[in-house]
């Protein structure tokens, strides 16, 4: 993997373990020469992650919609800053740039981005690995919800497998590097985004 997008909170969370995980991930990106693509902010875990990579001379591409480009929020120190007209355009640009997704703890914005990536995977529009770093059991309830969705017949078991989960950065990167996208189960003629 050469470029990976990270979705994570524009807040840092109350427990310092979340910041530590973002720092760990940032250092691993630099060590493995992976460019980080992200939302372009300088606040919360997003800021911690970007600053960790930039301080170690790694590469960071920020993709931020015009409406969020407020001076207080946008990180102008990034290697490359792409400003999009709309939130939806940002997601398309991000997904075209990268070969994998990682989600760290976050709020609505983070989960919105994660589930959009999963939906693209489920429709076979994309075949990229989608990893979740389950720091401090943060995603346990969400993962339980996925099991309920399978049990109740709303999520196909093979689509549940699109979510790669690990509690360590190293383990997650390994899973993503070894990822093989599932075979197409049914044909969707043509889905236009
Ligand atoms: P949230 O999880 O609700 O804190 O939202 C964080 C996610 O939404 C990030 O992955 C970003 O891509 C996007 N986002 C939310 N707020 C901002 C912001 N102020 N600047 C840049 N991106 C943001």
């Amino acid at each position: 993997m050469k470029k990976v997008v990270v979705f994570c909170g524009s807040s840092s969370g109350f427990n310092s373990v979340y910041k530590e995980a973002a720092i760990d991930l940032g250092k691993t990106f630099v060590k493995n020469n992976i460019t980080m693509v992200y939302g372009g902010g300088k606040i919360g875990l997003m800021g911690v992650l970007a600053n960790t990579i930039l301080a170690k001379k790694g590469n960071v591409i920020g993709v931020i919609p015009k409406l969020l480009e407020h001076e207080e929020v946008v990180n102008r120190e990034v290697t490359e800053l792409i400003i999009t007209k709309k939130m939806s355009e940002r997601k398309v640009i991000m997904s075209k740039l990268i070969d994998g997704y990682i989600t760290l703890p976050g709020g609505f914005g983070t989960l919105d981005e994660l589930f959009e990536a999963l939906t693209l995977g489920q429709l076979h529009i994309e075949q990229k690995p989608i990893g979740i770093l389950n720091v401090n059991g943060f995603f346990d309830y969400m993962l339980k919800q996925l099991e309920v969705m399978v049990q109740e017949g709303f999520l196909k078991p093979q689509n549940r497998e699109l979510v790669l989960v690990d509690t360590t950065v190293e383990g997650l990167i390994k899973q993503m590097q070894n990822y093989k996208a599932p075979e197409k189960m049914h044909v969707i003629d043509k889905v236009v985004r």
Side-chain angles (χ1 to χ4, degrees), residues 7-11 39 41 43 46 64 68 73 90 106-110 113:
F7 303 138
C8 61
S10 54
S11 307
I43 51 177
M46 301 168 79
I64 194 158
L68 287 180
V73 171
R90 164 207 242 183
F108 280 162
T110 301
E113 291 168 317

Side-chain angles (χ1 to χ4, degrees), residues 59-172:
N59 289 320
V60 176
I61 302 177
V63 187
I64 194 158
K66 191 130 195 67
L67 88 145
L68 287 180
E69 196 210 345
H70 193 277
E71 209 33 60
E72 282 169 28
V73 171
V74 70
N75 190 342
R76 301 221 174 260
E77 311 304 315
V78 295
T79 321
E80 189 183 341
L81 186 64
I82 300 172
I83 297 166
T84 65
K85 283 201 201 94
K86 292 192 252 156
M87 291 290 272
S88 55
E89 191 192 356
R90 164 207 242 183
K91 286 181 177 165
V92 175
I93 289 180
M94 278 177 159
S95 78
K96 289 216 168 107
L97 281 174
I98 53 101
D99 30 38
Y101 294 89
I102 291 181
T103 299
L104 296 185
F108 280 162
T110 301
L111 292 190
D112 166 67
E113 291 168 317
L114 167 66
F115 281 101
E116 171 144 348
L118 287 170
T119 310
L120 293 177
Q122 145 175 297
L123 294 174
H124 297 280
I125 295 171
E126 286 189 356
Q127 318 260 298
K128 298 170 185 174
I130 302 170
I132 291 178
L133 189 62
N134 194 11
V135 185
N136 192 32
F138 179 84
F139 287 106
D140 287 355
Y141 293 100
M142 190 199 80
L143 294 169
K144 178 75 194 144
Q145 180 63 44
L146 300 187
E147 300 313 326
V148 172
M149 284 152 66
V150 171
Q151 273 163 28
E152 296 300 316
F154 289 99
L155 174 63
K156 292 191 173 69
Q158 67 268 24
N159 288 335
R160 161 66 185 81
E161 302 308 313
L162 290 170
V163 188
L164 308 174
V165 188
D166 213 296
T167 52
T168 67
V169 169
E170 204 189 328
L172 187 64

